[in-house]
Amino acid sequence: MNLLDYFRASKVGSASVAKERLQILVAHERSSRNQPSYLPQLQRELLEVIRKYINVDQEAISFNFEQDDNQETLELNIVLPDYHTKNI
Amino acid sequence: MARIIVVTSGKGGVGKTTTSAAIAMGLAKKGHKTAVIDFDVGLRNLDLIMGCERRVVYDFVNVINGEASLNQALIRDKHCDLLYILPASQTRDKDALSQEGVGKILEDLSKDFQYIVCDSPAGIEKGAHLAMYFADDAFVVTNPEVSSVRDSDRMLGLLSSKSRRAEQNEEPIKEYLLLSRYSPDRVKLGEMLSVDDVQEILSLHLLGVIPESKSVLNASNSGTPVILDEKSDAGQAYADIVARYLGEEKPHRFIEEKKGLFGKLFGGK
């Protein structure tokens, strides 16, 4: 360690923060990029069908698409309200 | 058949036009007949960087519309006989470029040229899309800075999904990283992302690092591509990049900081 390194070591640069932020962001954006393009449409249509029978709102449904080497998983989660049948 | 190179980045101001001018000149100086096309319709600037702004008569859109022939619109470079420039139009019509029109021009140029360099506009609009659509190789110009790295990654996504090669299930576009405006001393201080950091995030093949350099502004002031300034660090960096692209083995330079007297006294190694 030389004289300059001694002064440098006392200061932590911002580059490591930049790298960490980018790694998280890029990983997130890449995963959504690989989703099939029909996913938003599928989500809207499924929601419409479900709403014909059950009164749920947008937030009660969550979609999750995951991909690994040999399989793709589409997870659909619906939180049903207490009184879920519509009075027709 | 020509090899089509797109110089792209997503973000503006990172050095796409500087890079396009330099590598087109470099390829031509190596004996390859090269055309460089400005895709930034409405905001043409390649002509200024190449120093041929006063010789523009016809442009890219004139050729697409059949108002001029390719030979009438192509400007021969004053430094190199093998280099030709096709300037962008200054029209405000955003739809002036069409996929068929661009495809036809590239096909015609392919018969006569070995390399076609497409200088993409910033953003992900039509001009940027068409600049990359027909490409065989992509030079992704990135600055060691968060927004530039993010935008580069976005462009990588588009290159692999919205290009001719992707749509026709051909071999994908070859993507190369050109890291520009690099300051080794700031990297050493931990103030700037390093080459390794950027490569780790983007996982791209590094074609070269272009250091932050006063010679780039000097070159654009005078309208001579910086690669012609053979004494400058940026000029040498671009010359290395062209050589590596053509298959020569060149060790990477400009990644370590230059050691002045102060560095020699205190630098240790």
Side-chain angles (χ1 to χ4, degrees):
Chain A
M1 196 188 221
N2 58 54
L3 190 57
L4 263 188
D5 285 343
Y6 177 76
F7 289 115
R8 281 166 182 167
S10 60
K11 204 169 75 181
V12 177
S14 53
S16 54
V17 182
K19 185 182 180 184
E20 203 183 307
R21 290 173 64 213
L22 273 170
Q23 277 172 326
I24 295 166
L25 182 68
V26 165
H28 179 254
E29 289 184 340
R30 279 186 188 166
S31 68
S32 55
R33 186 190 300 163
N34 292 331
Q35 285 182 352
S37 56
Y38 56 76
L39 207 62
Q41 176 85 14
L42 176 69
Q43 187 166 355
R44 268 194 305 277
E45 286 181 16
L46 277 174
L47 188 64
E48 271 170 40
V49 172
I50 291 162
R51 273 184 173 163
K52 267 164 76 176
Y53 303 96
I54 309 164
N55 197 6
V56 290
D57 54 38
Q58 187 86 42
E59 290 78 51
I61 294 185
S62 68
F63 260 67
N64 196 15
F65 182 81
E66 273 176 24
Q67 225 174 359
D68 58 39
D69 291 340
N70 42 29
Q71 61 178 4
E72 292 173 347
T73 321
L74 179 63
E75 188 187 298
L76 176 62
N77 213 333
I78 310 168
V79 181
L80 297 178
D82 290 342
Y83 300 98
H84 57 82
T85 35
K86 261 187 179 175
N87 298 320
I88 304 169
Chain B
M1 270 301 279
R3 194 88 189 157
I4 302 174
I5 302 168
V6 61
V7 177
T8 185
S9 70
K11 191 177 181 299
V14 298
K16 282 182 298 297
T17 303
T18 299
T19 299
S20 299
I23 59 157
M25 178 63 78
L27 289 165
K29 295 279 270 183
K30 287 263 187 187
H32 304 286
K33 194 170 180 189
T34 303
V36 56
I37 307 177
D38 191 349
F39 273 78
D40 205 344
V41 170
L43 290 169
R44 93 167 153 229
N45 273 320
L46 181 69
D47 54 338
L48 261 182
I49 302 301
M50 301 290 300
C52 64
E53 70 277 9
R54 297 206 302 189
R55 292 194 288 149
V56 175
V57 183
Y58 295 109
D59 59 53
F60 200 2
V61 172
N62 291 138
V63 181
I64 287 182
N65 294 340
E67 295 149 7
S69 71
L70 250 181
N71 283 333
Q72 283 176 302
L74 284 171
I75 303 168
R76 177 187 277 193
D77 186 79
K78 59 189 172 194
H79 302 284
C80 185
D81 286 349
L82 290 173
L83 179 59
Y84 290 80
I85 300 120
L86 184 56
S89 158
Q90 286 290 50
T91 174
R92 281 191 286 172
D93 177 10
K94 277 202 294 180
D95 298 318
L97 294 181
S98 64
Q99 188 157 305
E100 301 72 43
V102 173
K104 178 76 173 55
I105 288 184
L106 291 176
E107 200 186 313
D108 289 350
L109 284 172
S110 283
K111 292 171 193 156
D112 198 25
F113 286 86
Q114 285 170 284
Y115 290 99
I116 301 170
V117 178
C118 301
D119 181 20
S120 173
I124 51 172
E125 297 292 313
K126 197 168 189 181
H129 169 69
L130 288 175
M132 71 162 64
Y133 186 78
F134 297 95
D136 302 304
D137 300 312
F139 286 9
V140 181
V141 184
T142 307
N143 290 169
E145 179 271 327
V146 285
S147 53
S148 174
V149 174
R150 179 200 212 168
D151 288 359
S152 292
D153 189 65
R154 181 102 168 81
M155 295 322 282
L156 293 175
L158 296 174
L159 284 165
S160 61
S161 62
K162 305 275 185 231
S163 62
R164 183 189 61 85
R165 282 175 174 268
E167 284 177 6
Q168 298 180 1
N169 273 325
E170 288 181 31
E171 195 187 323
I173 296 175
K174 282 207 181 77
E175 300 155 344
Y176 300 94
L177 172 66
L178 277 74
L179 195 60
S180 60
R181 309 201 69 164
Y182 196 71
S183 300
D185 47 343
R186 300 199 70 186
V187 172
K188 190 157 188 200
L189 288 171
E191 294 175 357
M192 184 181 267
L193 290 164
S194 69
V195 191
D196 293 340
D197 291 341
V198 178
Q199 261 190 290
E200 194 184 322
I201 294 161
L202 296 177
S203 20
L204 265 186
H205 177 76
L206 178 72
L207 201 54
V209 172
I210 304 109
E212 173 78 55
S213 169
K214 288 180 179 173
S215 57
V216 173
L217 184 58
N218 281 333
S220 80
N221 284 342
S222 61
T224 41
V226 70
I227 198 168
L228 292 175
D229 185 355
E230 289 165 10
K231 291 202 179 93
S232 71
D233 45 3
Q236 291 171 12
Y238 279 117
D240 284 3
I241 284 168
V242 171
R244 278 187 210 110
Y245 174 69
L246 294 173
E248 289 176 42
E249 290 279 338
K250 290 261 179 192
H252 283 285
R253 295 194 273 171
F254 313 110
I255 293 176
E256 299 289 318
E257 63 186 324
K258 273 182 290 186
K259 283 184 181 162
L261 181 63
F262 191 70
K264 280 176 187 153
L265 286 174
F266 294 94
K269 280 182 267 183

